[in-house]
Amino acid sequence: MIQMKNTGKRIDLIANRKPQSQRVLYELRDRLKRNQFILNDTNPDIVISIGGDGMLLSAFHKYENQLDKVRFIGVHTGHLGFYTDYRDFELDKLVTNLQLDTGARVSYPVLNVKVFLENGEVKIFRALNEASIRRSDRTMVADVVINGVHFERFRGDGLTVSTPTGSTAYNKSLGGAVLHPTIEALQLTEIASLNNRVYRTLGSSIIVPKKDKIELIPTRNDYHTISVDNSVYSFRNIERIEYQIDHHKIHFVASPSHTSFWNRVKDAFIGEVDE
Ligand code: NAD
């Protein structure tokens, strides 16, 4: 039997608006209070997102400036997601694991994006999945520079740079490779490149190691749309964009019932394999 004592752990709960997520929110809030956890939505030790992967992305962005202090847990109210370790019917297990928690964590790389504008402004973003750039109306043309090497002149709809954990999201739909999240690397993937006798790009996605920097230099000014996970921004007259692995990582509470990455990939994309 587990002894009840004030755990001292501060927890924030973030849920989407779906009725099922709201039900889980109320039930979990109640159970955490009964078990002497402290609910805190500004300076928590642990953030629990309730919903799906999209909700975990929102939780990440709420605390993206406190990544070193916070650990995350995802509760999925649908099928098991990529950032979620618990299903909505596993709240007993979740509370027990929180009581037994020793501070152990599992950490994954985050993408840092710096957008340099011609007026001298620099906009900095962090992404957990990816950052994509497109030109608002016509073909996007941009020079791709990898670690100072002018690699190619890209023409097409756009480009995306993803993290290892983001490799199974938009990157995969674009034909990018699935990367194990412990590999510290970024992946640059094309969105509908123009490839013919005149224009040429590599055509496949590129995986760059931890210390390398990817730069994009749009050659045509005007508006570009930059998507960072589930947020969209529009910028006029971008001088260049720099992509690197961030100095901070995202930390998840290490769960004894953690589903292995390859099982998640199999569940999500393949299902049962006929023997
Ligand atoms: P959402 O919550 O509807 O997410 C869209 C889908 O992507 C969901 O099924 C979600 O489970 C899945 N997903 C999210 N992160 C994932 C990951 N790391 N690995 C595998 N699947 C993942 O929409 P949202 O809240 O706007 O989420 C934004 C994310 O959706 C973006 O970061 C992008 O990766 C993804 N997305 C994918 C496509 C596509 O595949 N064509 C298009 C747009 C956005």
PDB file of all heavy atoms in Angstrom, residues 221-236:
ATOM      1  N   ASN A 221      11.969  38.296 -52.524  1.00  0.00           N
ATOM      2  CA  ASN A 221      11.336  38.909 -51.360  1.00  0.00           C
ATOM      3  C   ASN A 221       9.825  38.816 -51.494  1.00  0.00           C
ATOM      4  O   ASN A 221       9.314  38.395 -52.487  1.00  0.00           O
ATOM      5  CB  ASN A 221      11.784  40.359 -51.223  1.00  0.00           C
ATOM      6  CG  ASN A 221      13.149  40.384 -50.567  1.00  0.00           C
ATOM      7  OD1 ASN A 221      13.532  39.408 -49.926  1.00  0.00           O
ATOM      8  ND2 ASN A 221      13.876  41.456 -50.748  1.00  0.00           N
ATOM      9  N   ASP A 222       9.169  39.209 -50.465  1.00  0.00           N
ATOM     10  CA  ASP A 222       7.712  39.140 -50.410  1.00  0.00           C
ATOM     11  C   ASP A 222       7.341  38.313 -49.191  1.00  0.00           C
ATOM     12  O   ASP A 222       8.188  38.011 -48.362  1.00  0.00           O
ATOM     13  CB  ASP A 222       7.128  38.496 -51.673  1.00  0.00           C
ATOM     14  CG  ASP A 222       5.725  39.048 -51.924  1.00  0.00           C
ATOM     15  OD1 ASP A 222       5.208  39.715 -51.020  1.00  0.00           O
ATOM     16  OD2 ASP A 222       5.179  38.793 -53.004  1.00  0.00           O
ATOM     17  N   TYR A 223       6.081  37.908 -49.130  1.00  0.00           N
ATOM     18  CA  TYR A 223       5.626  37.196 -47.947  1.00  0.00           C
ATOM     19  C   TYR A 223       5.973  35.715 -48.005  1.00  0.00           C
ATOM     20  O   TYR A 223       5.813  35.077 -49.037  1.00  0.00           O
ATOM     21  CB  TYR A 223       4.108  37.338 -47.790  1.00  0.00           C
ATOM     22  CG  TYR A 223       3.746  38.694 -47.234  1.00  0.00           C
ATOM     23  CD1 TYR A 223       3.326  39.711 -48.077  1.00  0.00           C
ATOM     24  CD2 TYR A 223       3.849  38.942 -45.871  1.00  0.00           C
ATOM     25  CE1 TYR A 223       3.015  40.963 -47.567  1.00  0.00           C
ATOM     26  CE2 TYR A 223       3.541  40.188 -45.349  1.00  0.00           C
ATOM     27  CZ  TYR A 223       3.123  41.188 -46.205  1.00  0.00           C
ATOM     28  OH  TYR A 223       2.828  42.412 -45.691  1.00  0.00           O
ATOM     29  N   HIS A 224       6.465  35.195 -46.878  1.00  0.00           N
ATOM     30  CA  HIS A 224       6.648  33.758 -46.704  1.00  0.00           C
ATOM     31  C   HIS A 224       5.864  33.341 -45.462  1.00  0.00           C
ATOM     32  O   HIS A 224       5.757  34.108 -44.503  1.00  0.00           O
ATOM     33  CB  HIS A 224       8.125  33.396 -46.517  1.00  0.00           C
ATOM     34  CG  HIS A 224       8.921  33.466 -47.781  1.00  0.00           C
ATOM     35  ND1 HIS A 224       9.377  34.658 -48.290  1.00  0.00           N
ATOM     36  CD2 HIS A 224       9.336  32.504 -48.632  1.00  0.00           C
ATOM     37  CE1 HIS A 224      10.049  34.414 -49.413  1.00  0.00           C
ATOM     38  NE2 HIS A 224      10.042  33.122 -49.641  1.00  0.00           N
ATOM     39  N   THR A 225       5.351  32.127 -45.520  1.00  0.00           N
ATOM     40  CA  THR A 225       4.616  31.601 -44.374  1.00  0.00           C
ATOM     41  C   THR A 225       5.512  30.609 -43.656  1.00  0.00           C
ATOM     42  O   THR A 225       6.068  29.708 -44.287  1.00  0.00           O
ATOM     43  CB  THR A 225       3.337  30.872 -44.855  1.00  0.00           C
ATOM     44  OG1 THR A 225       2.574  31.817 -45.587  1.00  0.00           O
ATOM     45  CG2 THR A 225       2.529  30.347 -43.699  1.00  0.00           C
ATOM     46  N   ILE A 226       5.655  30.801 -42.350  1.00  0.00           N
ATOM     47  CA  ILE A 226       6.464  29.857 -41.563  1.00  0.00           C
ATOM     48  C   ILE A 226       5.555  29.184 -40.537  1.00  0.00           C
ATOM     49  O   ILE A 226       4.916  29.860 -39.733  1.00  0.00           O
ATOM     50  CB  ILE A 226       7.638  30.591 -40.875  1.00  0.00           C
ATOM     51  CG1 ILE A 226       8.576  31.136 -41.960  1.00  0.00           C
ATOM     52  CG2 ILE A 226       8.384  29.652 -39.924  1.00  0.00           C
ATOM     53  CD1 ILE A 226       9.832  31.765 -41.450  1.00  0.00           C
ATOM     54  N   SER A 227       5.465  27.858 -40.617  1.00  0.00           N
ATOM     55  CA  SER A 227       4.678  27.112 -39.625  1.00  0.00           C
ATOM     56  C   SER A 227       5.639  26.513 -38.615  1.00  0.00           C
ATOM     57  O   SER A 227       6.611  25.855 -39.003  1.00  0.00           O
ATOM     58  CB  SER A 227       3.907  25.958 -40.273  1.00  0.00           C
ATOM     59  OG  SER A 227       3.200  26.421 -41.373  1.00  0.00           O
ATOM     60  N   VAL A 228       5.366  26.763 -37.356  1.00  0.00           N
ATOM     61  CA  VAL A 228       6.171  26.180 -36.276  1.00  0.00           C
ATOM     62  C   VAL A 228       5.216  25.290 -35.478  1.00  0.00           C
ATOM     63  O   VAL A 228       4.322  25.794 -34.795  1.00  0.00           O
ATOM     64  CB  VAL A 228       6.776  27.278 -35.383  1.00  0.00           C
ATOM     65  CG1 VAL A 228       7.578  26.658 -34.246  1.00  0.00           C
ATOM     66  CG2 VAL A 228       7.621  28.231 -36.196  1.00  0.00           C
ATOM     67  N   ASP A 229       5.351  23.986 -35.623  1.00  0.00           N
ATOM     68  CA  ASP A 229       4.396  23.029 -35.031  1.00  0.00           C
ATOM     69  C   ASP A 229       2.965  23.431 -35.420  1.00  0.00           C
ATOM     70  O   ASP A 229       2.666  23.454 -36.598  1.00  0.00           O
ATOM     71  CB  ASP A 229       4.600  22.933 -33.509  1.00  0.00           C
ATOM     72  CG  ASP A 229       5.974  22.375 -33.149  1.00  0.00           C
ATOM     73  OD1 ASP A 229       6.558  21.660 -33.980  1.00  0.00           O
ATOM     74  OD2 ASP A 229       6.467  22.665 -32.044  1.00  0.00           O
ATOM     75  N   ASN A 230       2.146  23.799 -34.423  1.00  0.00           N
ATOM     76  CA  ASN A 230       0.762  24.110 -34.772  1.00  0.00           C
ATOM     77  C   ASN A 230       0.471  25.614 -34.857  1.00  0.00           C
ATOM     78  O   ASN A 230      -0.677  26.031 -34.793  1.00  0.00           O
ATOM     79  CB  ASN A 230      -0.214  23.411 -33.799  1.00  0.00           C
ATOM     80  CG  ASN A 230       0.244  23.551 -32.364  1.00  0.00           C
ATOM     81  OD1 ASN A 230       1.108  24.376 -32.066  1.00  0.00           O
ATOM     82  ND2 ASN A 230      -0.311  22.753 -31.474  1.00  0.00           N
ATOM     83  N   SER A 231       1.515  26.441 -35.017  1.00  0.00           N
ATOM     84  CA  SER A 231       1.299  27.883 -35.177  1.00  0.00           C
ATOM     85  C   SER A 231       1.824  28.347 -36.531  1.00  0.00           C
ATOM     86  O   SER A 231       2.786  27.778 -37.050  1.00  0.00           O
ATOM     87  CB  SER A 231       2.053  28.668 -34.085  1.00  0.00           C
ATOM     88  OG  SER A 231       1.574  28.298 -32.832  1.00  0.00           O
ATOM     89  N   VAL A 232       1.189  29.377 -37.076  1.00  0.00           N
ATOM     90  CA  VAL A 232       1.568  29.864 -38.403  1.00  0.00           C
ATOM     91  C   VAL A 232       1.894  31.358 -38.319  1.00  0.00           C
ATOM     92  O   VAL A 232       1.171  32.120 -37.678  1.00  0.00           O
ATOM     93  CB  VAL A 232       0.414  29.641 -39.411  1.00  0.00           C
ATOM     94  CG1 VAL A 232       0.826  30.102 -40.806  1.00  0.00           C
ATOM     95  CG2 VAL A 232       0.007  28.181 -39.448  1.00  0.00           C
ATOM     96  N   TYR A 233       2.996  31.746 -38.958  1.00  0.00           N
ATOM     97  CA  TYR A 233       3.431  33.149 -38.970  1.00  0.00           C
ATOM     98  C   TYR A 233       3.671  33.561 -40.421  1.00  0.00           C
ATOM     99  O   TYR A 233       4.012  32.730 -41.269  1.00  0.00           O
ATOM    100  CB  TYR A 233       4.737  33.321 -38.184  1.00  0.00           C
ATOM    101  CG  TYR A 233       4.661  32.768 -36.786  1.00  0.00           C
ATOM    102  CD1 TYR A 233       4.960  31.423 -36.530  1.00  0.00           C
ATOM    103  CD2 TYR A 233       4.267  33.572 -35.720  1.00  0.00           C
ATOM    104  CE1 TYR A 233       4.867  30.897 -35.246  1.00  0.00           C
ATOM    105  CE2 TYR A 233       4.181  33.055 -34.430  1.00  0.00           C
ATOM    106  CZ  TYR A 233       4.483  31.719 -34.213  1.00  0.00           C
ATOM    107  OH  TYR A 233       4.388  31.199 -32.943  1.00  0.00           O
ATOM    108  N   SER A 234       3.530  34.857 -40.673  1.00  0.00           N
ATOM    109  CA  SER A 234       3.812  35.355 -42.019  1.00  0.00           C
ATOM    110  C   SER A 234       4.833  36.485 -41.897  1.00  0.00           C
ATOM    111  O   SER A 234       4.668  37.378 -41.059  1.00  0.00           O
ATOM    112  CB  SER A 234       2.505  35.858 -42.621  1.00  0.00           C
ATOM    113  OG  SER A 234       2.748  36.280 -43.923  1.00  0.00           O
ATOM    114  N   PHE A 235       5.889  36.412 -42.706  1.00  0.00           N
ATOM    115  CA  PHE A 235       6.935  37.446 -42.638  1.00  0.00           C
ATOM    116  C   PHE A 235       7.199  38.004 -44.016  1.00  0.00           C
ATOM    117  O   PHE A 235       7.220  37.268 -45.008  1.00  0.00           O
ATOM    118  CB  PHE A 235       8.240  36.867 -42.087  1.00  0.00           C
ATOM    119  CG  PHE A 235       8.146  36.455 -40.656  1.00  0.00           C
ATOM    120  CD1 PHE A 235       8.216  35.123 -40.308  1.00  0.00           C
ATOM    121  CD2 PHE A 235       7.971  37.401 -39.649  1.00  0.00           C
ATOM    122  CE1 PHE A 235       8.117  34.717 -38.990  1.00  0.00           C
ATOM    123  CE2 PHE A 235       7.871  37.018 -38.327  1.00  0.00           C
ATOM    124  CZ  PHE A 235       7.951  35.671 -37.994  1.00  0.00           C
ATOM    125  N   ARG A 236       7.454  39.317 -44.069  1.00  0.00           N
ATOM    126  CA  ARG A 236       7.807  39.960 -45.320  1.00  0.00           C
ATOM    127  C   ARG A 236       9.313  40.198 -45.299  1.00  0.00           C
ATOM    128  O   ARG A 236       9.873  40.529 -44.270  1.00  0.00           O
ATOM    129  CB  ARG A 236       7.063  41.299 -45.394  1.00  0.00           C
ATOM    130  CG  ARG A 236       7.068  41.830 -46.761  1.00  0.00           C
ATOM    131  CD  ARG A 236       5.923  42.744 -47.060  1.00  0.00           C
ATOM    132  NE  ARG A 236       6.118  43.144 -48.447  1.00  0.00           N
ATOM    133  CZ  ARG A 236       6.200  44.378 -48.824  1.00  0.00           C
ATOM    134  NH1 ARG A 236       6.013  45.350 -47.973  1.00  0.00           N
ATOM    135  NH2 ARG A 236       6.430  44.644 -50.090  1.00  0.00           N
TER     136      ARG A 236
END
